[in-house]
Amino acid sequence: YCSLFPEDYLFKRKQLVRLWIAEGFIEERGESTLEEVAEGYLKELIDRNMLQLVERNGFGRMKKFRMHDILRELAVDLCHKNCFGVTREANCGGYVEMDGRRLVLHKLNKDIQQSFSSIHRLRTIVTLDNNMPSFTLLLLLCKESRYMTVLELRGLPIKTIPEAIGDLFNLRHLGLRNSKVKMLLRSIEKLSNLLTLDLFASGIHDLPSGIVKLKKLRHLFVEKVIDPYWKGFQCSSGMYIPNGLGKLTNLQTLQALEAQDDSLRHLGELRQLRSLRLLNVKQMHCGRIGESLLQMRCLSNLYVNASDENEVLLLNVLLPSLQKLSLRGRLAEGALDESPLFQAVGGQNLYSLILFWSQLREDPLPSLSQLSNLTSLQFTRAYNGEQLTFLMGWFPKLKILYLTDLPNLNRLEIQQGAMASLEKLFLVNLNNMTEVPPGIEFLIPLKYLALYEITSDFLTLLRQCSAIRGTRWAYSLRD
């Protein structure tokens, strides 16, 4: 399957896992989910050097990888011999012999819809060329390839999808990410076998009411990015799920849901959720959200965005499986000490913590230092105080630290033995910082230092600092 993609193609773990599951390659094993079994296969392929690991995420999981060239050549040959699948590129002339059931389109010419033979045999089509003329081809696929299983059409310039897409009763994966499609037709409710619906950053603003009939759906992506630089408070928008959200009991990923009383009332019924993004949350919603989160025993990734910068996020819940937490909104004074989310017991598995616009007045580090397994920590407009001090022994596993837009911060101190594993440090738009952080020389493992939107005077101090010699660093000056 991997060999159908271009040479040196950079695979992403989650995307490939969803495709494998849709293809039917993965079977449940014991109490493991399909996703967990698929990740086990990936790990085995990497351990055997059949796939080459390129990048891990902040807490060590596989993130990106490539296929070895020689193995790919062997696999391509097997694909053709076994009618497993074919690829198509711009320099391929004539017809594509559709003996294979899977087609990955790399880069194409304009007459692609006229160059297929035996298209009715197709079960999978994945497009990698954003300029492909696509509506005619899509209409042809809907009419001729009735047993289609995977349609991955991300980035295509299509504005509509055919009504006939509802006739693809076997479709398990529909990817329209970054496309220009503006409306999801009502016929989508007939896709009763659909496992993944990816509408991230598409032109679609509303979901049809029949979306709740897709009871096998495992992954739903409906978020739109408003501010790609994530500088403002409201940087993305989600969608409202019509009445019946509680019917989608197989959902593992929901990104992103606009908070609304009707939807939140049934949120707790989604007990299989692993990843949840909630937007436009008001303080009055927090009690019900907290009750719902308690039902999600497997939740590992949570993002909550308040409706405005003055709404207080109050989530006093214990989520022992949580690994990644992002809160965008004001936190009540004492929240870091009182909420189980930030305690050693409740946050024992927490690897990544991102706080935006928290408006904290007290130093958050003493409270958060209990989270000894953190590998990534980010403060953006989260702290209004003047000083941050990392004490000896704090954050022993932290690898990445972001401090961004902290207008009052004038001193950052690092004691010997603090952040003993730190590899990357980002200091961005810290207006009042007038000295290189004392103790930065103690960050022995530091590989990369980024200082953005600094003054020319601060740059002069940096160049004179012997502590960062030998460390790769980058900077940008303030306008």
Side-chain angles (χ1 to χ4, degrees):
Y1 192 83
C2 292
S3 72
L4 295 175
F5 292 77
E7 186 175 337
D8 293 327
Y9 184 80
L10 195 62
F11 293 97
K12 296 179 180 178
R13 169 177 50 88
K14 292 181 180 180
Q15 180 187 355
L16 188 61
V17 161
R18 290 193 291 269
L19 289 172
W20 280 1
I21 291 172
E23 293 280 1
F25 298 156
I26 314 298
E27 295 181 356
E28 289 185 350
R29 183 186 299 166
E31 295 183 357
S32 299
T33 64
L34 293 172
E35 288 77 8
E36 289 167 346
V37 175
E39 285 196 33
Y41 289 163
L42 268 177
K43 184 179 184 304
E44 190 172 342
L45 290 170
I46 289 171
D47 289 345
R48 295 184 180 201
N49 292 321
M50 300 182 80
L51 290 176
Q52 180 181 5
L53 183 63
V54 174
E55 182 182 342
R56 294 186 183 273
N57 63 16
F59 41 99
R61 289 179 74 184
M62 303 170 294
K63 186 175 181 179
K64 297 178 182 178
F65 39 88
R66 289 190 177 96
M67 191 174 191
H68 288 284
D69 293 346
I70 296 176
L71 283 172
R72 181 178 179 275
E73 290 178 12
L74 293 171
V76 166
D77 189 49
L78 287 171
C79 279
H80 291 298
K81 287 181 179 178
N82 296 322
C83 299
F84 180 86
V86 295
T87 62
R88 168 79 183 189
E89 300 185 29
N91 56 5
C92 296
Y95 284 84
V96 178
E97 294 294 337
M98 287 313 305
D99 292 331
R101 303 210 167 208
R102 299 168 184 87
L103 175 64
V104 178
L105 302 166
H106 297 184
K107 195 166 182 63
L108 303 168
N109 48 32
K110 294 185 178 180
D111 61 348
I112 183 64
Q113 62 265 21
Q114 300 173 348
S115 59
F116 290 134
S117 65
S118 305
I119 196 171
H120 63 278
R121 297 181 184 178
L122 262 182
R123 300 293 179 269
T124 292
I125 185 164
V126 177
T127 61
L128 304 177
D129 180 12
N130 294 353
N131 297 313
M132 191 186 82
S134 40
F135 182 80
T136 306
L137 174 60
L138 187 55
L139 185 61
L140 184 64
L141 289 169
C142 291
K143 290 182 177 179
E144 301 293 336
S145 303
R146 302 292 294 275
Y147 294 93
M148 184 69 66
T149 300
V150 172
L151 269 178
E152 178 51 69
L153 308 173
R154 64 174 56 205
L156 292 188
I158 50 174
K159 295 183 178 179
T160 58
I161 53 177
E163 183 78 27
I165 200 166
D167 297 331
L168 302 179
F169 61 89
N170 200 43
L171 194 66
R172 296 175 194 162
H173 180 106
L174 178 58
L176 297 170
R177 177 175 291 238
N178 293 313
S179 72
K180 292 183 170 28
V181 175
K182 295 183 177 179
M183 185 174 70
L184 204 58
L185 302 173
R186 290 183 60 185
S187 64
I188 200 81
E189 68 185 41
K190 296 193 289 183
L191 302 178
S192 58
N193 289 303
L194 200 64
L195 302 177
T196 295
L197 178 58
D198 189 354
L199 309 177
F200 180 85
S202 69
I204 296 170
H205 294 278
D206 300 296
L207 293 172
S209 59
I211 196 78
V212 297
K213 295 181 180 180
L214 307 180
K215 295 183 180 180
K216 293 185 180 180
L217 200 62
R218 299 169 76 91
H219 306 284
L220 178 59
F221 302 92
V222 292
E223 191 167 3
K224 288 177 66 72
V225 176
I226 300 171
D227 177 8
Y229 299 103
W230 295 87
K231 285 284 190 181
F233 186 77
Q234 296 289 0
C235 298
S236 64
S237 63
M239 293 190 194
Y240 296 109
I241 304 290
N243 292 334
L245 174 64
K247 296 177 182 179
L248 302 176
T249 54
N250 285 306
L251 268 186
Q252 294 189 22
T253 305
L254 177 53
Q255 300 180 4
L257 178 68
E258 290 276 344
Q260 191 182 44
D261 288 341
D262 288 342
S263 297
L264 295 178
R265 190 176 297 117
H266 300 285
L267 185 62
E269 297 171 43
L270 308 182
R271 300 186 180 186
Q272 298 300 315
L273 274 180
R274 268 72 173 167
S275 180
L276 173 64
R277 292 176 68 87
L278 289 171
L279 307 182
N280 202 28
V281 173
K282 300 180 184 297
Q283 183 175 347
M284 65 180 183
H285 295 145
C286 290
R288 177 164 283 168
I289 290 172
E291 293 172 3
S292 299
L293 294 177
L294 287 173
Q295 307 301 316
M296 302 173 190
R297 303 289 184 182
C298 302
L299 190 69
S300 62
N301 185 357
L302 175 64
Y303 175 96
V304 181
N305 199 143
S307 58
D308 64 59
E309 57 192 87
N310 293 315
E311 288 284 348
V312 177
L313 297 176
L314 291 170
L315 296 174
N316 296 320
V317 289
L318 180 65
L319 300 174
S321 297
L322 200 64
Q323 296 179 341
K324 299 173 67 176
L325 174 63
S326 300
L327 298 176
R328 198 177 192 94
R330 186 176 177 182
L331 297 181
E333 289 300 322
L336 299 186
D337 294 315
E338 297 169 8
S339 173
L341 281 173
F342 306 105
Q343 304 304 308
V345 175
Q348 60 185 345
N349 290 317
L350 200 62
Y351 293 103
S352 173
L353 176 62
I354 303 177
L355 298 179
F356 302 93
W357 300 75
S358 306
Q359 302 185 41
L360 298 171
R361 288 182 288 181
E362 299 294 328
D363 185 348
L365 296 181
S367 302
L368 297 179
S369 63
Q370 302 177 66
L371 304 175
S372 58
N373 287 319
L374 276 184
T375 60
S376 179
L377 177 61
Q378 180 174 343
F379 294 152
T380 298
R381 299 199 182 189
Y383 175 52
N384 293 332
E386 297 181 354
Q387 182 167 335
L388 286 175
T389 302
F390 290 85
L391 299 184
M392 181 176 66
W394 284 4
F395 306 105
K397 298 181 181 179
L398 196 67
K399 294 183 177 179
I400 304 172
L401 174 63
Y402 283 87
L403 300 177
T404 304
D405 296 336
L406 306 179
N408 298 326
L409 188 70
N410 56 38
R411 182 174 174 82
L412 172 63
E413 183 178 350
I414 303 163
Q415 291 190 0
Q416 189 170 8
M419 300 186 290
S421 302
L422 196 70
E423 296 178 357
K424 296 180 180 180
L425 175 60
F426 296 82
L427 305 177
V428 182
N429 194 26
L430 305 181
N431 292 338
N432 279 347
M433 286 275 289
T434 57
E435 63 175 343
V436 177
I440 196 171
E441 66 272 13
F442 298 134
L443 301 177
I444 306 299
L446 193 65
K447 298 177 181 176
Y448 185 73
L449 173 64
L451 303 109
Y452 298 131
E453 300 180 49
I454 61 175
T455 64
S456 55
D457 291 340
F458 194 83
L459 177 60
T460 301
L461 290 174
L462 272 175
R463 287 174 169 161
Q464 295 172 352
C465 179
S466 60
I468 64 170
R469 287 174 188 166
T471 299
R472 190 163 61 95
W473 61 288
Y475 70 91
S476 69
L477 294 176
R478 189 175 303 142
D479 291 336

